mmCIF file of all heavy atoms in Angstrom:
data_model
loop_
_atom_site.group_PDB
_atom_site.id
_atom_site.type_symbol
_atom_site.label_atom_id
_atom_site.label_comp_id
_atom_site.label_asym_id
_atom_site.label_seq_id
_atom_site.Cartn_x
_atom_site.Cartn_y
_atom_site.Cartn_z
ATOM 1 N N SER I 1 -18.790 2.293 13.805
ATOM 2 C CA SER I 1 -17.437 2.011 13.313
ATOM 3 C C SER I 1 -16.901 3.130 12.437
ATOM 4 O O SER I 1 -17.639 4.004 11.982
ATOM 5 C CB SER I 1 -17.428 0.699 12.512
ATOM 6 O OG SER I 1 -18.193 0.857 11.322
ATOM 7 N N TRP I 2 -15.562 3.085 12.232
ATOM 8 C CA TRP I 2 -14.899 3.891 11.220
ATOM 9 C C TRP I 2 -14.469 2.953 10.099
ATOM 10 O O TRP I 2 -13.969 1.848 10.363
ATOM 11 C CB TRP I 2 -13.644 4.559 11.769
ATOM 12 C CG TRP I 2 -13.890 5.649 12.748
ATOM 13 C CD1 TRP I 2 -14.489 6.856 12.521
ATOM 14 C CD2 TRP I 2 -13.524 5.653 14.129
ATOM 15 N NE1 TRP I 2 -14.517 7.610 13.664
ATOM 16 C CE2 TRP I 2 -13.931 6.895 14.668
ATOM 17 C CE3 TRP I 2 -12.887 4.737 14.957
ATOM 18 C CZ2 TRP I 2 -13.727 7.224 15.995
ATOM 19 C CZ3 TRP I 2 -12.683 5.061 16.278
ATOM 20 C CH2 TRP I 2 -13.100 6.288 16.794
ATOM 21 N N GLY I 3 -14.628 3.372 8.866
ATOM 22 C CA GLY I 3 -14.245 2.523 7.751
ATOM 23 C C GLY I 3 -13.281 3.211 6.810
ATOM 24 O O GLY I 3 -13.329 4.429 6.620
ATOM 25 N N VAL I 4 -12.375 2.443 6.244
ATOM 26 C CA VAL I 4 -11.411 2.932 5.262
ATOM 27 C C VAL I 4 -11.432 1.975 4.075
ATOM 28 O O VAL I 4 -11.340 0.753 4.260
ATOM 29 C CB VAL I 4 -9.985 2.987 5.841
ATOM 30 C CG1 VAL I 4 -8.991 3.407 4.763
ATOM 31 C CG2 VAL I 4 -9.922 3.927 7.017
ATOM 32 N N SER I 5 -11.575 2.518 2.869
ATOM 33 C CA SER I 5 -11.597 1.696 1.661
ATOM 34 C C SER I 5 -10.563 2.201 0.666
ATOM 35 O O SER I 5 -10.461 3.407 0.426
ATOM 36 C CB SER I 5 -12.990 1.717 1.017
ATOM 37 O OG SER I 5 -13.963 1.184 1.889
ATOM 38 N N ILE I 6 -9.816 1.265 0.112
ATOM 39 C CA ILE I 6 -8.781 1.575 -0.878
ATOM 40 C C ILE I 6 -8.999 0.682 -2.099
ATOM 41 O O ILE I 6 -9.173 -0.538 -1.943
ATOM 42 C CB ILE I 6 -7.371 1.324 -0.294
ATOM 43 C CG1 ILE I 6 -7.131 2.222 0.918
ATOM 44 C CG2 ILE I 6 -6.297 1.553 -1.348
ATOM 45 C CD1 ILE I 6 -5.825 1.948 1.626
ATOM 46 N N PRO I 7 -9.019 1.244 -3.290
ATOM 47 C CA PRO I 7 -9.230 0.416 -4.487
ATOM 48 C C PRO I 7 -8.021 -0.468 -4.778
ATOM 49 O O PRO I 7 -6.939 -0.274 -4.217
ATOM 50 C CB PRO I 7 -9.428 1.459 -5.586
ATOM 51 C CG PRO I 7 -8.665 2.656 -5.102
ATOM 52 C CD PRO I 7 -8.844 2.666 -3.616
ATOM 53 N N ALA I 8 -8.206 -1.430 -5.662
ATOM 54 C CA ALA I 8 -7.102 -2.300 -6.066
ATOM 55 C C ALA I 8 -5.965 -1.443 -6.640
ATOM 56 O O ALA I 8 -6.209 -0.430 -7.297
ATOM 57 C CB ALA I 8 -7.589 -3.304 -7.109
ATOM 58 N N PHE I 9 -4.733 -1.853 -6.379
ATOM 59 C CA PHE I 9 -3.598 -1.057 -6.822
ATOM 60 C C PHE I 9 -2.359 -1.926 -7.005
ATOM 61 O O PHE I 9 -2.283 -3.057 -6.523
ATOM 62 C CB PHE I 9 -3.293 0.055 -5.811
ATOM 63 C CG PHE I 9 -2.855 -0.453 -4.450
ATOM 64 C CD1 PHE I 9 -1.510 -0.511 -4.099
ATOM 65 C CD2 PHE I 9 -3.793 -0.884 -3.519
ATOM 66 C CE1 PHE I 9 -1.107 -0.967 -2.855
ATOM 67 C CE2 PHE I 9 -3.406 -1.346 -2.266
ATOM 68 C CZ PHE I 9 -2.068 -1.387 -1.934
ATOM 69 N N VAL I 10 -1.390 -1.361 -7.712
ATOM 70 C CA VAL I 10 -0.085 -2.004 -7.883
ATOM 71 C C VAL I 10 0.896 -1.274 -6.953
ATOM 72 O O VAL I 10 1.176 -0.087 -7.154
ATOM 73 C CB VAL I 10 0.403 -1.910 -9.348
ATOM 74 C CG1 VAL I 10 1.794 -2.533 -9.469
ATOM 75 C CG2 VAL I 10 -0.591 -2.566 -10.282
ATOM 76 N N PRO I 11 1.397 -1.933 -5.918
ATOM 77 C CA PRO I 11 2.230 -1.255 -4.915
ATOM 78 C C PRO I 11 3.390 -0.459 -5.487
ATOM 79 O O PRO I 11 3.654 0.665 -5.049
ATOM 80 C CB PRO I 11 2.718 -2.415 -4.040
ATOM 81 C CG PRO I 11 1.627 -3.427 -4.139
ATOM 82 C CD PRO I 11 1.152 -3.345 -5.557
ATOM 83 N N THR I 12 4.085 -1.011 -6.472
ATOM 84 C CA THR I 12 5.259 -0.311 -7.000
ATOM 85 C C THR I 12 4.882 0.958 -7.748
ATOM 86 O O THR I 12 5.724 1.841 -7.958
ATOM 87 C CB THR I 12 6.049 -1.230 -7.937
ATOM 88 O OG1 THR I 12 5.165 -1.786 -8.924
ATOM 89 C CG2 THR I 12 6.706 -2.369 -7.154
ATOM 90 N N ASP I 13 3.615 1.084 -8.149
ATOM 91 C CA ASP I 13 3.163 2.269 -8.879
ATOM 92 C C ASP I 13 2.499 3.308 -7.978
ATOM 93 O O ASP I 13 2.535 4.507 -8.281
ATOM 94 C CB ASP I 13 2.161 1.877 -9.971
ATOM 95 C CG ASP I 13 2.809 1.060 -11.087
ATOM 96 O OD1 ASP I 13 4.053 1.142 -11.226
ATOM 97 O OD2 ASP I 13 2.070 0.356 -11.804
ATOM 98 N N PHE I 14 1.905 2.856 -6.874
ATOM 99 C CA PHE I 14 1.078 3.760 -6.081
ATOM 100 C C PHE I 14 1.517 3.926 -4.625
ATOM 101 O O PHE I 14 0.837 4.587 -3.853
ATOM 102 C CB PHE I 14 -0.380 3.271 -6.108
ATOM 103 C CG PHE I 14 -1.035 3.413 -7.445
ATOM 104 C CD1 PHE I 14 -1.053 2.353 -8.339
ATOM 105 C CD2 PHE I 14 -1.606 4.617 -7.825
ATOM 106 C CE1 PHE I 14 -1.654 2.487 -9.580
ATOM 107 C CE2 PHE I 14 -2.203 4.759 -9.059
ATOM 108 C CZ PHE I 14 -2.226 3.688 -9.948
ATOM 109 N N VAL I 15 2.648 3.361 -4.271
ATOM 110 C CA VAL I 15 3.146 3.497 -2.897
ATOM 111 C C VAL I 15 4.607 3.923 -2.946
ATOM 112 O O VAL I 15 5.402 3.361 -3.713
ATOM 113 C CB VAL I 15 3.019 2.180 -2.103
ATOM 114 C CG1 VAL I 15 3.522 2.373 -0.674
ATOM 115 C CG2 VAL I 15 1.577 1.687 -2.095
ATOM 116 N N ALA I 16 4.969 4.928 -2.132
ATOM 117 C CA ALA I 16 6.375 5.337 -2.020
ATOM 118 C C ALA I 16 7.064 4.344 -1.083
ATOM 119 O O ALA I 16 7.078 4.517 0.137
ATOM 120 C CB ALA I 16 6.468 6.755 -1.468
ATOM 121 N N LEU I 17 7.618 3.306 -1.654
ATOM 122 C CA LEU I 17 8.179 2.211 -0.865
ATOM 123 C C LEU I 17 9.599 2.515 -0.408
ATOM 124 O O LEU I 17 10.404 3.060 -1.177
ATOM 125 C CB LEU I 17 8.177 0.927 -1.700
ATOM 126 C CG LEU I 17 6.807 0.394 -2.119
ATOM 127 C CD1 LEU I 17 6.967 -0.665 -3.205
ATOM 128 C CD2 LEU I 17 6.080 -0.188 -0.912
ATOM 129 N N PRO I 18 9.948 2.157 0.817
ATOM 130 C CA PRO I 18 11.342 2.291 1.254
ATOM 131 C C PRO I 18 12.240 1.389 0.411
ATOM 132 O O PRO I 18 11.812 0.333 -0.063
ATOM 133 C CB PRO I 18 11.292 1.825 2.719
ATOM 134 C CG PRO I 18 9.864 1.935 3.124
ATOM 135 C CD PRO I 18 9.068 1.659 1.886
ATOM 136 N N LYS I 19 13.466 1.794 0.237
ATOM 137 C CA LYS I 19 14.402 1.016 -0.551
ATOM 138 C C LYS I 19 14.579 -0.375 0.062
ATOM 139 O O LYS I 19 14.796 -0.514 1.261
ATOM 140 C CB LYS I 19 15.761 1.721 -0.611
ATOM 141 C CG LYS I 19 16.772 1.018 -1.504
ATOM 142 C CD LYS I 19 18.074 1.800 -1.577
ATOM 143 C CE LYS I 19 19.089 1.090 -2.488
ATOM 144 N NZ LYS I 19 20.365 1.858 -2.580
ATOM 145 N N GLY I 20 14.440 -1.388 -0.765
ATOM 146 C CA GLY I 20 14.625 -2.764 -0.304
ATOM 147 C C GLY I 20 13.380 -3.407 0.274
ATOM 148 O O GLY I 20 13.420 -4.571 0.678
ATOM 149 N N ALA I 21 12.256 -2.692 0.301
ATOM 150 C CA ALA I 21 11.025 -3.253 0.869
ATOM 151 C C ALA I 21 10.522 -4.402 0.003
ATOM 152 O O ALA I 21 10.539 -4.332 -1.229
ATOM 153 C CB ALA I 21 9.959 -2.170 0.987
ATOM 154 N N THR I 22 10.053 -5.449 0.645
ATOM 155 C CA THR I 22 9.506 -6.607 -0.071
ATOM 156 C C THR I 22 8.006 -6.760 0.154
ATOM 157 O O THR I 22 7.317 -7.387 -0.648
ATOM 158 C CB THR I 22 10.204 -7.900 0.378
ATOM 159 O OG1 THR I 22 10.011 -8.079 1.793
ATOM 160 C CG2 THR I 22 11.693 -7.847 0.078
ATOM 161 N N HIS I 23 7.505 -6.213 1.263
ATOM 162 C CA HIS I 23 6.083 -6.307 1.589
ATOM 163 C C HIS I 23 5.614 -4.979 2.188
ATOM 164 O O HIS I 23 6.428 -4.179 2.656
ATOM 165 C CB HIS I 23 5.812 -7.431 2.600
ATOM 166 C CG HIS I 23 6.075 -8.802 2.069
ATOM 167 N ND1 HIS I 23 7.346 -9.296 1.875
ATOM 168 C CD2 HIS I 23 5.210 -9.790 1.680
ATOM 169 C CE1 HIS I 23 7.281 -10.541 1.399
ATOM 170 N NE2 HIS I 23 5.991 -10.852 1.273
ATOM 171 N N LEU I 24 4.322 -4.779 2.168
ATOM 172 C CA LEU I 24 3.748 -3.612 2.852
ATOM 173 C C LEU I 24 2.473 -4.045 3.562
ATOM 174 O O LEU I 24 1.923 -5.118 3.308
ATOM 175 C CB LEU I 24 3.475 -2.475 1.875
ATOM 176 C CG LEU I 24 2.412 -2.695 0.787
ATOM 177 C CD1 LEU I 24 1.015 -2.298 1.292
ATOM 178 C CD2 LEU I 24 2.749 -1.876 -0.453
ATOM 179 N N ARG I 25 2.016 -3.183 4.449
ATOM 180 C CA ARG I 25 0.799 -3.466 5.194
ATOM 181 C C ARG I 25 0.064 -2.150 5.411
ATOM 182 O O ARG I 25 0.670 -1.142 5.776
ATOM 183 C CB ARG I 25 1.138 -4.125 6.534
ATOM 184 C CG ARG I 25 -0.069 -4.376 7.429
ATOM 185 C CD ARG I 25 0.267 -5.362 8.531
ATOM 186 N NE ARG I 25 1.520 -5.028 9.183
ATOM 187 C CZ ARG I 25 2.293 -5.910 9.817
ATOM 188 N NH1 ARG I 25 1.956 -7.182 9.860
ATOM 189 N NH2 ARG I 25 3.408 -5.529 10.389
#
């Protein structure tokens, strides 16, 4: 398998969110 791990985070601080976004995946 291939594995990807991401630590706990606050989306508004660590993701460049599109304007008006309410959820991410």
Side-chain angles (χ1 to χ4, degrees):
S1 66
W2 290 294
V4 176
S5 298
I6 299 175
F9 64 99
V10 177
T12 52
D13 293 339
F14 291 95
V15 181
L17 297 166
K19 184 177 180 179
T22 60
H23 294 74
L24 65 88
R25 176 164 47 205

